[in-house]
Amino acid sequence: MLAHPSGLAAGRRHSVGRRWNGTVFAVGDTAADECRVERWEDVVAVAAGNVHTASNTGRSHTVGLRSDGTVLATGWNGDGQCDVAGWRGVTAVAAGWRRTLGLLENGRVLATGRGSEGQCDVQSWREMVALSCGDWHSVGVRADGCALAAGNNRRGQCAVERWRGLAAIAAGYLHTVGLGADGRAVATGDRTTGACEVDEWEEVVALDAGSYHTSGFTASGRALATGDNSYGQCEVADWRGIIAVAAGSTHTLGLRANGTVVTAGNNADRG
């Protein structure tokens, strides 16, 4: 059984889950060892590196946060995205394409991996309470509910400076979504896929951004999804009793209150 909202993660070609006892399991593509998590213990949260589906993408990495504030990582390390062995005092982790972010107890942020587009320029961030990684941009929420962003902004995915009263945030390929303390969602970035069509969502408890779609769930446990549905990744309307969601490149995961997981979308890489 899974036991925590941050215990579910979806990547480009793999899925990761944390069991109630702190062990971790993963399924999907194993070409870069992103699923080599069988020896991990005492893990409280997981994150999966994600990148939009394309012919030149696929390799990924997996990150785990332990209860003592140390961080584990496995998988593709071409840009140093798995170089987290020396991290201490971490309270949350986020993984994107070729990079990893860690939130420290003092509200500052660590970053390792590819920073060519400015996505690792987070050293000046302070009083942060939440983080998320897109393909080429990084976003976060401060304790005062304001949002910060760094990295590629070619579709306006970093245009979050006016957002206020946020409780959470999620970054996709070319879009960003934010969750207000009032349960309403906001979005910015590429609107051609429909991934930003969250204006009518209400009573949202949590959300996540995939490459071209956005998923979430309400206080009643009903799942929501909008955006590209080429692989059926948005076919979640009948999901109930959901307490966590994770959006990958072309698939979606949902965690039920009884610890079971439901899935939708691309299942080509079964591992």
Side-chain angles (χ1 to χ4, degrees):
M1 289 178 62
L2 299 164
H4 195 279
S6 57
L8 200 64
R12 162 72 167 88
R13 290 176 173 171
H14 76 298
S15 301
V16 187
R18 183 189 71 88
R19 298 184 180 91
W20 66 270
N21 63 357
T23 61
V24 179
F25 66 91
V27 295
D29 186 84
T30 60
D33 287 341
E34 55 265 69
C35 292
R36 295 296 302 272
V37 298
E38 61 273 4
R39 295 185 179 181
W40 288 9
E41 297 179 345
D42 199 28
V43 172
V44 297
V46 293
N50 192 20
V51 61
H52 66 285
T53 298
S55 59
N56 64 337
T57 67
R59 291 179 296 174
S60 187
H61 71 297
T62 302
V63 181
L65 172 63
R66 301 184 67 193
S67 65
D68 62 359
T70 59
V71 181
L72 303 166
T74 186
W76 184 35
N77 195 34
D79 290 86
Q81 58 265 43
C82 291
D83 295 343
V84 298
W87 289 8
R88 300 290 185 272
V90 178
T91 62
V93 290
W97 188 47
R98 301 188 183 188
R99 78 187 178 289
T100 303
L101 300 183
L103 176 62
L104 295 172
E105 296 170 344
N106 62 7
R108 300 183 70 172
V109 181
L110 300 173
T112 186
R114 175 171 169 153
S116 304
E117 294 80 21
Q119 61 268 58
C120 287
D121 295 343
V122 296
Q123 296 85 353
S124 64
W125 291 9
R126 299 290 187 273
E127 300 179 352
M128 305 304 294
V129 296
L131 299 172
S132 182
C133 295
D135 276 27
W136 297 323
H137 72 297
S138 303
V139 295
V141 178
R142 288 198 320 229
D144 62 3
C146 294
L148 297 177
N152 187 298
N153 192 36
R154 65 177 181 174
R155 299 293 176 86
Q157 62 264 45
C158 289
V160 300
E161 61 276 358
R162 295 185 180 181
W163 290 0
R164 298 292 185 271
L166 293 187
I169 199 165
Y173 172 32
L174 296 172
H175 77 292
T176 302
V177 289
L179 175 61
D182 60 358
R184 301 296 298 269
V186 292
T188 186
D190 185 6
R191 293 185 174 273
T192 61
T193 65
C196 290
E197 295 178 5
V198 298
D199 296 342
E200 296 184 1
W201 287 10
E202 297 180 345
E203 298 183 350
V204 180
V205 174
L207 45 71
D208 197 22
S211 290
Y212 301 102
H213 74 294
T214 302
S215 62
F217 66 95
T218 68
S220 65
R222 181 171 60 90
L224 304 167
T226 186
D228 180 71
N229 194 36
S230 300
Y231 294 86
Q233 61 265 46
C234 290
E235 295 176 6
V236 302
D238 61 343
W239 292 5
R240 296 294 184 271
I242 301 299
I243 62 171
V245 291
S249 179
T250 53
H251 72 292
T252 305
L253 308 177
L255 173 63
R256 289 194 178 114
N258 65 1
T260 60
V261 177
V262 287
T263 64
N266 193 342
N267 193 35
D269 297 278
R270 302 184 183 188

